[in-house]
Amino acid sequence: MRFEQIDSTNLADVGGKGAHLGELSRIDGVRVPDGFCVTTDAFQRVVAEVPSIGAQLDLLSRVKPDDRAAIRTLSAGIRRAVEDVAMPDDLVAAIGESLARLGEHASYAVRSSATAEDLPTASFAGQQDSYLNIVGLAAILRHVRRCWASLFTERAVTYRRRNGFDHRKVRMAVVVQQMVFPDAAGILFTADPVTSNRKIAAVEAGWGLGEALVSGLVAGDVYTVRDDQVVTTTVATKARFVQASPGGGVQDAPIDPRRQTQPALTEAQVVRLVQLGRRIEAHFGRPQDIEWCLVGDDFHIVQSRPITTLFPVPATDDQENHVYVSVGHQQMMTDAMKPLGLSLWQLTTPRPMHEAGGRLFVDVAPVLATPAGRAHLLGALGKADPLIRDALQTVLDRGDFIRLLPDEDSGAAPAGDPPAQIETDPAVVTQLIRHSQASVATLQREIQSLSGPALLDFILADIAELKRILFDPQGLQVIMAGMEAAWWLNDRLEAWLGEKNAADVLTQSVPHNVTSEMGLALLDVADAIRPHADVVAYLHRVVDEGREGDGFLNELAGLTGGQEARDAVQDYLDKYGMRCAGEIDITRTRWSEHPATLVPTILGNIKNFEPGAGKRHFEQGRQESRRKEQELLTRLRALPDGEQKAEETKRMIDRVRAFAGYREYPKYGMVSRYFTYKQALLREADRLVQSGTLREKEDIFFLRFQELHEVVRTNDVDAELIRERREAFRSYEALTPPRVLTSDGETVTGRYRRDDAPPGALAGLPVSAGTVEGRARVVMDMARADLEAGDILVTAYTDPSWTPLFVTVAGLVTEVGGLMTHGAVIAREYGLPAVVGVEQATRLIRDGQRIRVHGTDGYVQILS
């Protein structure tokens, strides 16, 4: 197919690179060297003739992504077979005719173009091969086969395995394009590749062919451009360049010393190139990574692909500047959420949120615009998440992004009075919990008989009841009273006694903390199973075989002690089975749906603890808190005005212990309701599958709540919409959400502005006092955790579902977190030194290294 015959609808025929070249050739003012594509149909016809290709691909699909030796051996065999295959005569003739049209003895670039390459959701740049300065039909045919074979390089195979692409479904076209021999060449990013700012373009330029830059042979000149003005210029010393070889192919050569430090482009050329790039970006509708060549004073575009690493920007219908703060970093859930989960959370939350990349954000620009709003927000974040606070301060310090207003000109400052004070009465907490439990029981009873639109209407109405309980004024008073009492204790006791973070010990084993109780309750489950060797051995097999679902529970009954073990697990699930990692997303798999998730932790508890450990752990925490209280009060009484200070402190200790535990309960109640909704919605989804409306039950997860309501009402669904959203979700999963994002697309990174940590230490936020040394266990999935007593858990984030692991470990390090997020609260409850908000902790700390966690001062040292 000639370039002029190709557009984006031909993706399946010519692959990502070929489709982009066809589109580029249609843009006015964009010069694209002419060429043609050998289609995927040719690839399929020829490769189908490779001996035993089907069997070889089957073997390859079963290899684990990290088994490099097996991938290397299998892929090399497939490559050799593809390179040796004979081409049919009609294909040889078609390629020959195309070359005759363009110039039989001209030089060509022969480039791979896979159907899963250069797509908006996954860039495969560099995963297949390209060949330059190829001359003559025989050489081009040989390199077409080599491009086909490059679909099976070790690197390309590993990439597909890790990203979920089926080897059989990825097909290869080949681009044959006239060579351009440029004076200079390079890459243009229409969004800043470092900060993601969509309004800043970055240009890299070097002498000769662009392969010198792409291969890393030389560092190029770097220019950044904003609003048609060159903002920064860095001219590199370009000692070598890549040029055409007389006999075909390319070679690198030295550059005349006088030209090595000369800029490859003038500022006028840089601006003209960026304007060209903006035209290409507008055509494709997203930021582009563009390969360009300069011949004389003319730019030629040889490739353009989407920049897939950029985090999407929330959509708005205005031209105002916005500053978005990540909700996931507050909720300890930075994974992508599915549409049903996003929409249900939006229905639950009291304030508007913006969606991007499967995550939720709050626009804080209106709050930052006023002095009162600014002081309130930055003050709160100073305690909760210093990295977000610093990022926001960075935006404010620029002086030109947020339009500052006096307080009276804006209604966007935090509204409402602070919650009224509440008497220290533990019975208040008991009553709040009782009301929540009764409300959930009513929901579970009334939802059972509902189906169709009535079910969706009922859930929508019940969300109002959920919000009433979540934001109950008395409940908020209790939570604030507990937090303020902890802050009071920390501030006063450090001022009076030099005691840092005293509240951390004083809040160990507080009553009514449903999340910490959940962790200790799994120790009781281990106690019920530990005496029964057959059951323990069976559970080890469940883990080894990677069992899913709840089928293993029913099989327990046939073993000695199996019924008792099953009852213990089931009782636990009855109380806590609605929980799971990422539980704010209703679509996530709950423990009750996949109880095998808990089995590794149960086995770890059996190995690491003696019977009765749960009750002992709670009592030890209570005794440690009481001992600390007596010690502090004794020291206070020895001070001037000591009796008064001790009396005030005692009142605050009683207050924090009465109220601190309730902070975890509203979310437990919310997740209980979410799971009840989910079970009912899946029953409805099953009906839709039976009627042929849906292909599978989980399709409902890719519909927003109101869309699902319409599908239930009409029995009609847009299957293509669901397919597109599944594909988008998969791309979102690969993205890392920023803490702070601007409407320009810039990800603003905060820093810990402190100098009290030792050289080489990893800085973070101290959230639970104490110092501990131990073996780091880097865990990304709690179901795969293999922990021993004394280990230090290092992970990206922890939500309540991770609590059962806390009873084993001696310390905690996370990449995400704040002073009052769940991991911090439970770490204090269990007396674990903890540092959160440690940037890239799971990459900088290797599994098995010995580390020291300074939970009082907020840093981590890597010891070995």
Side-chain angles (χ1 to χ4, degrees):
M1 295 181 72
R2 298 191 304 274
F3 285 177
E4 61 265 28
Q5 297 174 295
I6 296 168
D7 61 24
S8 59
T9 63
N10 299 113
L11 178 67
D13 303 312
V14 298
K17 191 172 284 143
H20 274 77
L21 284 167
E23 287 287 336
L24 283 168
S25 66
R26 294 165 179 264
I27 305 173
D28 287 341
V30 175
R31 300 185 65 166
V32 179
D34 202 0
F36 61 91
C37 291
V38 181
T39 67
T40 55
D41 180 58
F43 167 81
Q44 287 178 273
R45 283 176 54 201
V46 175
V47 172
E49 300 301 316
V50 174
S52 67
I53 186 68
Q56 292 182 74
L57 289 177
D58 285 341
L59 285 172
L60 202 58
S61 66
R62 291 196 290 270
V63 173
K64 293 181 178 178
D66 53 358
D67 190 346
R68 296 183 61 183
I71 289 175
R72 185 180 303 118
T73 301
L74 287 168
S75 61
I78 295 174
R79 282 200 310 279
R80 283 193 300 271
V82 172
E83 287 184 24
D84 292 342
V85 73
M87 279 197 185
D89 292 342
D90 60 337
L91 176 58
V92 173
I95 293 174
E97 289 171 11
S98 295
L99 289 178
R101 177 178 64 86
L102 294 171
E104 193 171 350
H105 301 292
S107 296
Y108 293 89
V110 182
R111 301 178 183 271
S112 63
S113 181
T115 53
E117 180 181 52
D118 295 341
L119 304 184
T121 55
S123 176
F124 283 61
Q127 299 302 325
Q128 284 82 45
D129 290 342
S130 295
Y131 304 95
L132 302 181
N133 193 29
I134 309 302
V135 182
L137 176 60
I140 284 174
L141 293 176
R142 183 168 66 252
H143 285 88
V144 166
R145 287 196 297 269
R146 291 181 69 180
C147 280
W148 288 340
S150 74
L151 194 61
F152 301 101
T153 62
E154 180 185 345
R155 182 176 55 171
V157 167
T158 302
Y159 187 93
R160 288 197 296 275
R161 292 288 291 119
R162 286 181 175 159
N163 289 275
F165 290 91
D166 187 338
H167 298 302
R168 292 177 178 277
K169 292 182 179 177
V170 181
R171 297 179 175 89
M172 178 71 81
V174 179
V175 172
V176 181
Q177 186 177 24
Q178 287 179 324
M179 276 292 295
V180 173
F181 298 101
D183 303 305
I187 302 163
L188 161 63
F189 298 96
T190 64
D192 190 319
V194 177
T195 68
S196 300
N197 193 321
R198 293 346 188 241
K199 292 188 176 179
I200 294 177
V203 175
E204 293 185 34
W207 300 120
L209 291 164
E211 272 55 35
L213 291 177
V214 173
S215 67
L217 178 67
V218 298
D221 303 336
V222 178
Y223 310 83
T224 59
V225 177
R226 180 171 185 145
D227 299 329
D228 290 342
Q229 296 287 324
V230 176
V231 180
T232 64
T233 300
T234 304
V235 178
T237 301
K238 301 171 285 295
R240 304 187 73 79
F241 75 121
V242 172
Q243 62 182 5
S245 297
V250 295
Q251 63 186 19
D252 71 272
I255 292 176
D256 184 324
R258 290 170 297 180
R259 296 183 67 211
Q260 290 181 7
T261 56
Q262 289 180 6
L265 297 175
T266 66
E267 286 201 357
Q269 287 172 330
V270 170
V271 170
R272 184 153 53 89
L273 175 61
V274 169
Q275 290 170 341
L276 195 61
R278 292 295 182 208
R279 195 179 306 166
I280 294 168
E281 178 185 67
H283 178 85
F284 287 110
R286 65 185 67 228
Q288 297 287 301
D289 164 0
I290 298 166
E291 296 176 26
W292 56 269
C293 296
L294 180 67
V295 181
D297 197 38
D298 292 328
F299 285 105
H300 297 253
I301 304 301
V302 295
Q303 187 48 257
S304 182
R305 65 176 67 88
I307 307 175
T308 60
T309 55
L310 299 177
F311 197 87
V313 183
T316 58
D317 55 3
D318 59 42
Q319 299 301 312
E320 298 294 320
N321 287 341
H322 301 275
V323 180
Y324 302 105
V325 170
S326 164
V327 173
H329 284 81
Q330 316 303 308
Q331 288 294 328
M332 298 301 94
M333 169 37 184
T334 55
D335 294 350
M337 296 171 68
K338 297 185 181 78
L340 183 62
L342 288 167
S343 62
L344 194 70
W345 183 259
Q346 292 268 45
L347 290 170
T348 305
T349 185
R351 65 183 301 174
M353 293 182 179
H354 302 262
E355 296 178 16
R359 278 80 169 186
L360 291 163
F361 295 85
V362 173
D363 180 14
V364 298
V367 178
L368 290 174
T370 67
R374 199 157 53 245
H376 175 82
L377 181 63
L378 295 180
L381 288 172
K383 285 191 174 79
D385 193 327
L387 292 177
I388 292 180
R389 185 201 184 284
D390 187 66
L392 294 178
Q393 189 65 56
T394 298
V395 175
L396 286 166
D397 289 346
R398 293 172 181 169
D400 61 353
F401 195 80
I402 299 293
R403 185 165 56 91
L404 301 183
L405 302 170
D407 277 333
E408 60 268 24
D409 285 0
S410 172
D417 296 323
Q421 288 294 308
I422 188 171
E423 292 297 317
T424 303
D425 180 4
V428 173
V429 174
T430 307
Q431 186 179 35
L432 285 167
I433 292 172
R434 191 180 301 122
H435 284 167
S436 177
Q437 290 172 334
S439 179
V440 171
T442 300
L443 162 67
Q444 292 171 337
R445 183 174 64 253
E446 293 181 352
I447 204 171
Q448 287 300 320
S449 61
L450 296 175
S451 64
L455 169 63
L456 279 292
D457 290 337
F458 177 84
I459 290 173
L460 203 56
D462 190 76
I463 289 171
E465 170 69 1
L466 165 59
K467 292 168 77 169
R468 185 190 69 78
I469 293 172
L470 268 181
F471 308 114
D472 175 86
Q474 189 177 48
L476 295 177
Q477 286 176 337
V478 167
I479 291 169
M480 285 306 301
M483 291 167 60
E484 289 167 353
W487 296 338
W488 188 97
L489 289 165
N490 284 337
D491 291 345
R492 296 297 197 284
L493 294 175
E494 184 170 6
W496 292 339
L497 300 174
E499 185 84 24
K500 279 188 176 182
N501 302 329
D504 293 357
V505 178
L506 296 171
T507 52
Q508 288 185 31
S509 297
V510 295
H512 303 303
N513 188 322
V514 68
T515 307
S516 62
E517 289 168 359
M518 176 179 74
L520 300 178
L522 206 59
L523 290 169
D524 297 338
V525 174
D527 288 349
I529 294 172
R530 187 181 290 104
H532 308 297
D534 288 350
V535 174
V536 173
Y538 173 74
L539 292 180
H540 277 289
R541 290 199 299 276
V542 168
V543 173
D544 293 342
E545 295 168 8
R547 296 274 196 96
E548 295 190 2
D550 59 0
F552 78 94
L553 283 177
N554 297 325
E555 295 174 21
L556 282 173
L559 302 173
T560 303
Q563 189 60 49
E564 182 182 347
R566 187 190 184 286
D567 290 346
V569 173
Q570 191 58 57
D571 288 346
Y572 185 86
L573 293 174
D574 288 344
K575 187 166 186 181
Y576 304 112
M578 78 293 291
R579 311 216 84 150
C580 67
E583 62 191 10
I584 67 170
D585 181 354
I586 190 176
T587 73
R588 298 290 280 257
T589 302
R590 311 283 147 171
W591 289 344
S592 283
E593 296 170 310
H594 183 25
T597 301
L598 295 170
V599 173
T601 308
I602 293 170
L603 291 171
N605 289 346
I606 290 171
K607 179 179 73 172
N608 294 320
F609 295 96
E610 296 295 323
K615 294 179 177 60
R616 280 197 308 277
H617 193 289
F618 185 84
E619 185 57 28
Q620 285 167 1
R622 201 168 66 85
Q623 293 293 341
E624 178 64 16
S625 172
R626 183 176 296 172
R627 185 196 64 75
K628 190 67 175 178
E629 175 184 331
Q630 294 306 316
E631 174 211 314
L632 292 169
L633 295 177
T634 299
R635 291 168 62 193
L636 286 170
R637 291 189 182 102
L639 300 176
D641 298 323
E643 285 298 332
Q644 181 181 343
K645 289 173 179 172
E647 185 179 323
E648 290 177 1
T649 301
K650 173 60 176 167
R651 280 202 304 271
M652 285 300 176
I653 291 173
D654 290 346
R655 193 168 178 80
V656 79
R657 291 194 63 79
F659 292 151
Y662 180 71
R663 176 177 168 77
E664 294 290 304
Y665 201 87
K667 189 171 189 181
Y668 172 81
M670 180 192 78
V671 173
S672 298
R673 294 187 109 84
Y674 273 16
F675 186 40
T676 303
Y677 300 159
K678 182 184 183 183
Q679 289 172 304
L681 290 173
L682 284 175
R683 288 195 296 270
E684 190 64 23
D686 191 47
R687 182 189 69 77
L688 292 168
V689 171
Q690 296 301 322
S691 69
T693 304
L694 297 179
R695 289 180 63 249
E696 53 186 284
K697 289 195 297 183
E698 288 73 18
D699 282 351
I700 67 167
F701 297 161
F702 296 91
L703 296 169
R704 301 182 70 81
F705 187 85
Q706 294 297 351
E707 293 169 343
L708 177 57
H709 196 299
E710 188 66 10
V711 169
V712 169
R713 187 183 68 81
T714 63
N715 281 316
D716 183 43
V717 70
D718 184 346
E720 179 62 17
L721 176 69
I722 291 175
R723 188 198 66 75
E724 289 174 0
R725 286 184 176 170
R726 281 184 180 274
E727 186 176 305
F729 177 74
R730 187 173 65 182
S731 74
Y732 296 155
E733 287 185 295
L735 298 174
T736 300
R739 282 179 165 85
V740 175
L741 177 71
T742 73
S743 47
D744 286 351
E746 180 183 4
T747 59
V748 187
T749 304
R751 293 190 297 117
Y752 292 106
R753 300 186 184 275
R754 45 187 287 195
D755 54 11
D756 58 338
L762 307 180
L765 180 67
V767 295
S768 185
T771 301
V772 66
E773 209 174 285
R775 179 180 65 161
R777 297 315 306 262
V778 180
V779 180
M780 304 308 289
D781 178 355
M782 69 166 287
R784 299 172 185 267
D786 181 15
L787 300 170
E788 295 183 0
D791 285 345
I792 296 171
L793 176 61
V794 180
T795 189
Y797 65 82
T798 62
D799 62 8
S801 72
W802 286 70
T803 304
L805 301 184
F806 284 28
V807 298
T808 302
V809 299
L812 174 69
V813 179
T814 68
E815 295 177 337
V816 175
L819 192 62
M820 296 308 297
T821 50
H822 299 280
V825 171
I826 304 305
R828 292 193 290 272
E829 170 89 7
Y830 284 177
L832 304 177
V835 181
V836 302
V838 180
E839 294 273 74
Q840 299 187 48
T842 59
R843 300 179 191 177
L844 298 173
I845 300 171
R846 294 195 306 275
D847 188 59
Q849 281 187 310
R850 193 156 189 82
I851 64 174
R852 184 183 296 130
V853 177
H854 295 262
T856 305
D857 296 311
Y859 60 87
V860 180
Q861 290 175 288
I862 299 175
L863 305 177
S864 66

